[in-house]
Amino acid sequence: KVERDMASKAQQQQQTEQHITAEYMQDLMLIHQADDLTYGESLHKIEQVLQRILDDLACDRISQKSFGVFIEVYNTIKEGLKRRLT
């Protein structure tokens, strides 16, 4: 029973991390798709999202692995904004 409870907690933690990371990635996508933002405004907003996820990483609300997935999307979005808006 203890092992089952530990496995259940680990699975719940992983699902929570995935949900948090997905929300941050959704924020990035919305910023990327916004037609009314300049490059500077867009960059500022994605950097705010990055700071929020760094806070979550520092507080162990997400794992290094989840952060790694996020940062790949972040870098792709940042490069896409640069190509599209500069």
Side-chain angles (χ1 to χ4, degrees):
K1 182 174 168 44
V2 172
E3 288 178 12
R4 187 173 56 224
D5 287 347
M6 288 176 58
S8 177
K9 280 187 175 185
Q11 183 178 15
Q12 184 177 3
Q13 173 66 23
Q14 184 178 15
Q15 288 173 341
T16 300
E17 283 182 24
Q18 289 172 346
H19 178 75
I20 291 169
T21 305
E23 285 182 346
Y24 287 130
M25 288 190 281
Q26 179 67 28
D27 289 348
L28 292 180
M29 293 302 297
L30 291 172
I31 294 164
H32 184 262
Q33 294 169 352
D35 291 330
D36 60 336
L37 298 175
T38 67
Y39 175 68
E41 292 167 336
S42 297
L43 194 58
H44 179 71
K45 287 186 177 291
I46 67 168
E47 287 171 353
Q48 287 177 323
V49 175
L50 176 61
Q51 187 58 57
R52 290 194 334 256
I53 199 168
L54 285 170
D55 291 344
D56 279 348
L57 180 63
C59 295
D60 290 327
R61 286 188 285 263
I62 64 163
S63 66
Q64 286 281 342
K65 183 178 179 181
S66 292
F67 178 75
V69 171
F70 168 84
I71 206 67
E72 286 181 34
V73 174
Y74 173 87
N75 288 331
T76 301
I77 294 291
K78 187 174 179 180
E79 189 60 36
L81 288 169
K82 186 177 181 180
R83 280 195 307 269
R84 186 168 65 95
L85 298 175
T86 60

